[in-house]
Short mmCIF file of all heavy atoms in Angstrom, two decimals:
data_model
loop_
_atom_site.label_atom_id
_atom_site.label_comp_id
_atom_site.label_asym_id
_atom_site.label_seq_id
_atom_site.Cartn_x
_atom_site.Cartn_y
_atom_site.Cartn_z
N ARG A 146 -80.16 12.03 30.92
CA ARG A 146 -80.39 13.40 30.46
C ARG A 146 -79.33 14.26 31.14
O ARG A 146 -79.19 14.22 32.35
CB ARG A 146 -81.79 13.89 30.85
CG ARG A 146 -82.88 13.03 30.31
CD ARG A 146 -83.77 13.68 29.28
NE ARG A 146 -84.31 14.94 29.74
CZ ARG A 146 -84.48 15.99 28.93
NH1 ARG A 146 -84.14 15.92 27.68
NH2 ARG A 146 -85.00 17.09 29.41
N GLN A 147 -78.55 15.00 30.34
CA GLN A 147 -77.40 15.71 30.89
C GLN A 147 -77.13 16.99 30.11
O GLN A 147 -77.63 17.18 29.01
CB GLN A 147 -76.16 14.80 30.84
CG GLN A 147 -75.80 14.36 29.44
CD GLN A 147 -74.67 13.36 29.40
OE1 GLN A 147 -74.03 13.07 30.40
NE2 GLN A 147 -74.39 12.83 28.23
N ARG A 148 -76.35 17.87 30.72
CA ARG A 148 -75.85 19.06 30.06
C ARG A 148 -74.35 18.87 29.90
O ARG A 148 -73.62 18.77 30.89
CB ARG A 148 -76.13 20.32 30.89
CG ARG A 148 -77.60 20.66 30.99
CD ARG A 148 -78.15 21.13 29.64
NE ARG A 148 -79.60 21.19 29.68
CZ ARG A 148 -80.40 20.23 29.20
NH1 ARG A 148 -79.88 19.13 28.66
NH2 ARG A 148 -81.70 20.36 29.26
N GLY A 149 -73.88 18.80 28.68
CA GLY A 149 -72.49 18.47 28.42
C GLY A 149 -72.33 16.97 28.43
O GLY A 149 -73.26 16.23 28.75
N SER A 150 -71.16 16.50 28.06
CA SER A 150 -70.95 15.05 27.96
C SER A 150 -70.29 14.50 29.22
O SER A 150 -69.14 14.08 29.21
CB SER A 150 -70.12 14.71 26.73
OG SER A 150 -68.89 15.40 26.77
N LYS A 151 -71.02 14.53 30.33
CA LYS A 151 -70.52 13.94 31.58
C LYS A 151 -70.35 12.44 31.38
O LYS A 151 -69.39 11.84 31.83
CB LYS A 151 -71.50 14.23 32.71
CG LYS A 151 -71.06 13.70 34.04
CD LYS A 151 -72.01 14.08 35.16
CE LYS A 151 -71.53 13.51 36.47
NZ LYS A 151 -72.44 13.80 37.58
N HIS A 152 -71.32 11.82 30.69
CA HIS A 152 -71.25 10.41 30.30
C HIS A 152 -71.18 10.37 28.78
O HIS A 152 -71.89 11.11 28.11
CB HIS A 152 -72.49 9.64 30.76
CG HIS A 152 -72.76 9.74 32.22
ND1 HIS A 152 -72.06 9.00 33.16
CD2 HIS A 152 -73.62 10.50 32.93
CE1 HIS A 152 -72.52 9.29 34.37
NE2 HIS A 152 -73.46 10.21 34.26
N ASN A 153 -70.32 9.52 28.24
CA ASN A 153 -70.20 9.38 26.79
C ASN A 153 -70.95 8.16 26.30
O ASN A 153 -71.19 7.22 27.05
CB ASN A 153 -68.73 9.30 26.39
CG ASN A 153 -68.01 10.62 26.54
OD1 ASN A 153 -68.65 11.67 26.55
ND2 ASN A 153 -66.70 10.58 26.66
N ALA A 154 -71.28 8.16 25.01
CA ALA A 154 -72.01 7.05 24.40
C ALA A 154 -71.04 5.94 23.99
O ALA A 154 -70.04 6.20 23.34
CB ALA A 154 -72.77 7.54 23.18
N GLY A 155 -71.38 4.72 24.40
CA GLY A 155 -70.61 3.55 24.00
C GLY A 155 -71.38 2.77 22.95
O GLY A 155 -72.18 3.33 22.20
N SER A 156 -71.17 1.45 22.88
CA SER A 156 -71.84 0.63 21.88
C SER A 156 -73.33 0.49 22.22
O SER A 156 -73.69 0.31 23.38
CB SER A 156 -71.19 -0.74 21.79
OG SER A 156 -71.28 -1.41 23.03
N GLY A 157 -74.16 0.62 21.21
CA GLY A 157 -75.60 0.49 21.40
C GLY A 157 -76.26 1.72 21.99
O GLY A 157 -77.43 1.70 22.34
N VAL A 158 -75.51 2.84 22.08
CA VAL A 158 -76.02 4.08 22.66
C VAL A 158 -75.66 5.22 21.73
O VAL A 158 -74.59 5.23 21.12
CB VAL A 158 -75.42 4.33 24.06
CG1 VAL A 158 -75.86 5.66 24.63
CG2 VAL A 158 -75.80 3.21 25.01
N ALA A 159 -76.57 6.20 21.59
CA ALA A 159 -76.30 7.39 20.79
C ALA A 159 -76.57 8.63 21.63
O ALA A 159 -77.26 8.57 22.65
CB ALA A 159 -77.19 7.40 19.55
N MET A 160 -75.99 9.76 21.18
CA MET A 160 -76.16 11.03 21.89
C MET A 160 -77.00 11.98 21.05
O MET A 160 -76.70 12.20 19.87
CB MET A 160 -74.79 11.66 22.20
CG MET A 160 -74.88 12.90 23.06
SD MET A 160 -73.28 13.63 23.46
CE MET A 160 -72.66 12.45 24.64
N GLY A 161 -78.04 12.55 21.64
CA GLY A 161 -78.89 13.51 20.96
C GLY A 161 -78.25 14.88 20.96
O GLY A 161 -77.21 15.12 21.57
N LYS A 162 -78.91 15.85 20.29
CA LYS A 162 -78.33 17.18 20.15
C LYS A 162 -78.27 17.94 21.47
O LYS A 162 -77.50 18.87 21.62
CB LYS A 162 -79.09 18.00 19.11
CG LYS A 162 -80.51 18.35 19.49
CD LYS A 162 -81.14 19.22 18.42
CE LYS A 162 -82.52 19.67 18.87
NZ LYS A 162 -83.11 20.58 17.89
N ASP A 163 -79.10 17.53 22.47
CA ASP A 163 -79.04 18.15 23.79
C ASP A 163 -78.24 17.30 24.77
O ASP A 163 -78.42 17.40 25.98
CB ASP A 163 -80.45 18.43 24.32
CG ASP A 163 -81.25 17.16 24.53
OD1 ASP A 163 -80.83 16.10 24.04
OD2 ASP A 163 -82.30 17.23 25.19
N ASP A 164 -77.36 16.45 24.25
CA ASP A 164 -76.44 15.59 25.02
C ASP A 164 -77.16 14.45 25.73
O ASP A 164 -76.57 13.77 26.58
CB ASP A 164 -75.62 16.38 26.05
CG ASP A 164 -74.75 17.44 25.37
OD1 ASP A 164 -74.15 17.13 24.34
OD2 ASP A 164 -74.69 18.57 25.87
N THR A 165 -78.41 14.19 25.41
CA THR A 165 -79.15 13.07 26.00
C THR A 165 -78.64 11.76 25.42
O THR A 165 -78.46 11.64 24.21
CB THR A 165 -80.65 13.22 25.70
OG1 THR A 165 -81.13 14.39 26.35
CG2 THR A 165 -81.44 12.02 26.20
N LEU A 166 -78.41 10.77 26.28
CA LEU A 166 -78.00 9.44 25.82
C LEU A 166 -79.23 8.55 25.74
O LEU A 166 -80.02 8.50 26.68
CB LEU A 166 -76.98 8.82 26.78
CG LEU A 166 -75.67 9.58 26.94
CD1 LEU A 166 -74.75 8.82 27.89
CD2 LEU A 166 -74.99 9.82 25.62
N TYR A 167 -79.39 7.84 24.62
CA TYR A 167 -80.52 6.94 24.45
C TYR A 167 -80.07 5.64 23.80
O TYR A 167 -79.05 5.59 23.12
CB TYR A 167 -81.64 7.61 23.63
CG TYR A 167 -81.22 8.02 22.23
CD1 TYR A 167 -81.44 7.17 21.15
CD2 TYR A 167 -80.63 9.25 21.99
CE1 TYR A 167 -81.07 7.55 19.86
CE2 TYR A 167 -80.25 9.63 20.72
CZ TYR A 167 -80.47 8.77 19.66
OH TYR A 167 -80.10 9.13 18.39
N ALA A 168 -80.84 4.59 24.05
CA ALA A 168 -80.50 3.25 23.59
C ALA A 168 -80.85 3.08 22.12
O ALA A 168 -81.90 3.52 21.66
CB ALA A 168 -81.22 2.21 24.43
N LEU A 169 -79.98 2.41 21.38
CA LEU A 169 -80.24 2.08 19.98
C LEU A 169 -80.77 0.66 19.83
O LEU A 169 -81.39 0.32 18.83
CB LEU A 169 -78.96 2.24 19.15
CG LEU A 169 -78.42 3.66 19.02
CD1 LEU A 169 -77.08 3.63 18.31
CD2 LEU A 169 -79.40 4.55 18.29
N ILE A 170 -80.49 -0.18 20.83
CA ILE A 170 -80.89 -1.59 20.78
C ILE A 170 -81.50 -1.99 22.12
O ILE A 170 -81.32 -1.29 23.12
CB ILE A 170 -79.67 -2.51 20.47
CG1 ILE A 170 -78.57 -2.29 21.51
CG2 ILE A 170 -79.16 -2.29 19.07
CD1 ILE A 170 -77.39 -3.23 21.37
N ASP A 171 -82.23 -3.09 22.13
CA ASP A 171 -82.74 -3.65 23.38
C ASP A 171 -81.60 -4.34 24.12
O ASP A 171 -80.73 -4.95 23.49
CB ASP A 171 -83.84 -4.68 23.10
CG ASP A 171 -85.05 -4.07 22.40
OD1 ASP A 171 -85.12 -2.84 22.34
OD2 ASP A 171 -85.89 -4.84 21.93
N GLY A 172 -81.59 -4.25 25.43
CA GLY A 172 -80.55 -4.94 26.20
C GLY A 172 -80.43 -4.42 27.61
O GLY A 172 -81.37 -3.85 28.16
N THR A 173 -79.26 -4.61 28.19
CA THR A 173 -78.98 -4.21 29.57
C THR A 173 -77.99 -3.06 29.58
O THR A 173 -76.98 -3.09 28.88
CB THR A 173 -78.38 -5.41 30.35
OG1 THR A 173 -79.25 -6.52 30.22
CG2 THR A 173 -78.21 -5.07 31.81
N VAL A 174 -78.27 -2.04 30.38
CA VAL A 174 -77.41 -0.86 30.46
C VAL A 174 -76.16 -1.18 31.26
O VAL A 174 -76.21 -1.88 32.28
CB VAL A 174 -78.18 0.31 31.12
CG1 VAL A 174 -77.29 1.52 31.32
CG2 VAL A 174 -79.40 0.67 30.30
N ASN A 175 -75.02 -0.67 30.79
CA ASN A 175 -73.74 -0.91 31.46
C ASN A 175 -72.95 0.40 31.52
O ASN A 175 -72.70 1.03 30.50
CB ASN A 175 -72.94 -1.97 30.68
CG ASN A 175 -71.61 -2.27 31.35
OD1 ASN A 175 -71.47 -2.16 32.56
ND2 ASN A 175 -70.62 -2.63 30.56
N PHE A 176 -72.61 0.84 32.74
CA PHE A 176 -71.75 2.01 32.94
C PHE A 176 -70.34 1.51 33.20
O PHE A 176 -70.13 0.63 34.04
CB PHE A 176 -72.23 2.83 34.15
CG PHE A 176 -73.48 3.63 33.89
CD1 PHE A 176 -74.72 3.03 33.96
CD2 PHE A 176 -73.40 4.98 33.60
CE1 PHE A 176 -75.88 3.77 33.73
CE2 PHE A 176 -74.55 5.73 33.38
CZ PHE A 176 -75.78 5.12 33.44
N HIS A 177 -69.35 2.06 32.50
CA HIS A 177 -67.95 1.68 32.73
C HIS A 177 -67.05 2.86 32.39
O HIS A 177 -67.51 3.87 31.87
CB HIS A 177 -67.58 0.44 31.90
CG HIS A 177 -67.79 0.61 30.43
ND1 HIS A 177 -69.03 0.45 29.82
CD2 HIS A 177 -66.94 0.94 29.43
CE1 HIS A 177 -68.92 0.65 28.53
NE2 HIS A 177 -67.67 0.97 28.26
N LYS A 178 -65.78 2.74 32.72
CA LYS A 178 -64.82 3.80 32.46
C LYS A 178 -64.16 3.57 31.10
O LYS A 178 -63.81 2.45 30.75
CB LYS A 178 -63.73 3.84 33.54
CG LYS A 178 -64.26 4.20 34.91
CD LYS A 178 -64.59 5.67 34.99
CE LYS A 178 -65.02 6.03 36.41
NZ LYS A 178 -65.33 7.45 36.53
N GLY A 179 -63.98 4.63 30.35
CA GLY A 179 -63.34 4.56 29.04
C GLY A 179 -61.98 5.22 29.06
O GLY A 179 -61.30 5.25 30.09
N LYS A 180 -61.59 5.77 27.92
CA LYS A 180 -60.30 6.45 27.82
C LYS A 180 -60.26 7.65 28.74
O LYS A 180 -61.25 8.35 28.94
CB LYS A 180 -60.07 6.91 26.38
CG LYS A 180 -59.82 5.77 25.41
CD LYS A 180 -59.56 6.30 24.04
CE LYS A 180 -59.35 5.14 23.08
NZ LYS A 180 -59.18 5.58 21.70
N ARG A 181 -59.12 7.91 29.31
CA ARG A 181 -58.90 9.03 30.23
C ARG A 181 -59.88 9.03 31.39
O ARG A 181 -60.31 10.08 31.85
CB ARG A 181 -58.95 10.36 29.48
CG ARG A 181 -57.87 10.49 28.43
CD ARG A 181 -57.69 11.92 27.99
NE ARG A 181 -56.58 11.99 27.05
CZ ARG A 181 -56.73 12.36 25.78
NH1 ARG A 181 -57.91 12.69 25.31
NH2 ARG A 181 -55.69 12.40 25.00
N ASP A 182 -60.27 7.82 31.81
CA ASP A 182 -61.13 7.64 32.99
C ASP A 182 -62.50 8.31 32.84
O ASP A 182 -63.11 8.72 33.81
CB ASP A 182 -60.42 8.15 34.24
CG ASP A 182 -60.65 7.22 35.43
OD1 ASP A 182 -60.82 6.01 35.19
OD2 ASP A 182 -60.67 7.70 36.56
N LYS A 183 -62.98 8.45 31.60
CA LYS A 183 -64.28 9.07 31.32
C LYS A 183 -65.38 8.02 31.44
O LYS A 183 -65.19 6.87 31.08
CB LYS A 183 -64.24 9.65 29.91
CG LYS A 183 -65.37 10.57 29.56
CD LYS A 183 -65.18 11.94 30.15
CE LYS A 183 -66.29 12.85 29.62
NZ LYS A 183 -66.42 14.07 30.32
N SER A 184 -66.53 8.41 31.95
CA SER A 184 -67.66 7.50 32.09
C SER A 184 -68.28 7.22 30.72
O SER A 184 -68.53 8.13 29.94
CB SER A 184 -68.72 8.13 33.00
OG SER A 184 -69.85 7.31 33.06
N VAL A 185 -68.50 5.95 30.43
CA VAL A 185 -69.08 5.51 29.16
C VAL A 185 -70.29 4.65 29.46
O VAL A 185 -70.28 3.82 30.36
CB VAL A 185 -68.05 4.71 28.32
CG1 VAL A 185 -68.67 4.23 27.03
CG2 VAL A 185 -66.82 5.55 28.05
N VAL A 186 -71.37 4.87 28.69
CA VAL A 186 -72.58 4.10 28.85
C VAL A 186 -72.77 3.24 27.60
O VAL A 186 -72.74 3.75 26.48
CB VAL A 186 -73.80 5.02 29.02
CG1 VAL A 186 -75.07 4.20 29.25
CG2 VAL A 186 -73.59 5.98 30.17
N SER A 187 -72.95 1.93 27.79
CA SER A 187 -73.20 1.00 26.69
C SER A 187 -74.45 0.20 26.98
O SER A 187 -74.91 0.12 28.11
CB SER A 187 -72.02 0.04 26.54
OG SER A 187 -70.82 0.74 26.27
N VAL A 188 -74.99 -0.41 25.92
CA VAL A 188 -76.12 -1.34 26.07
C VAL A 188 -75.63 -2.68 25.57
O VAL A 188 -75.21 -2.82 24.41
CB VAL A 188 -77.35 -0.87 25.30
CG1 VAL A 188 -78.43 -1.92 25.34
CG2 VAL A 188 -77.88 0.43 25.88
N ILE A 189 -75.66 -3.67 26.46
CA ILE A 189 -75.27 -5.04 26.10
C ILE A 189 -76.52 -5.72 25.53
O ILE A 189 -77.55 -5.77 26.21
CB ILE A 189 -74.73 -5.78 27.33
CG1 ILE A 189 -73.52 -5.04 27.88
CG2 ILE A 189 -74.41 -7.22 26.99
CD1 ILE A 189 -73.12 -5.47 29.25
#
Side-chain angles (χ1 to χ4, degrees):
R146 302 247 307 143
Q147 60 185 353
R148 292 291 168 262
S150 57
K151 182 176 179 182
H152 304 282
N153 288 338
S156 61
V158 176
M160 186 179 287
K162 67 177 185 176
D163 63 347
D164 300 317
T165 296
L166 298 182
Y167 60 94
L169 295 174
I170 57 175
D171 298 348
T173 307
V174 176
N175 181 29
F176 286 81
H177 57 278
K178 295 286 185 179
K180 290 182 181 176
R181 298 196 177 116
D182 221 30
K183 193 77 174 167
S184 175
V185 178
V186 183
S187 300
V188 173
I189 300 165

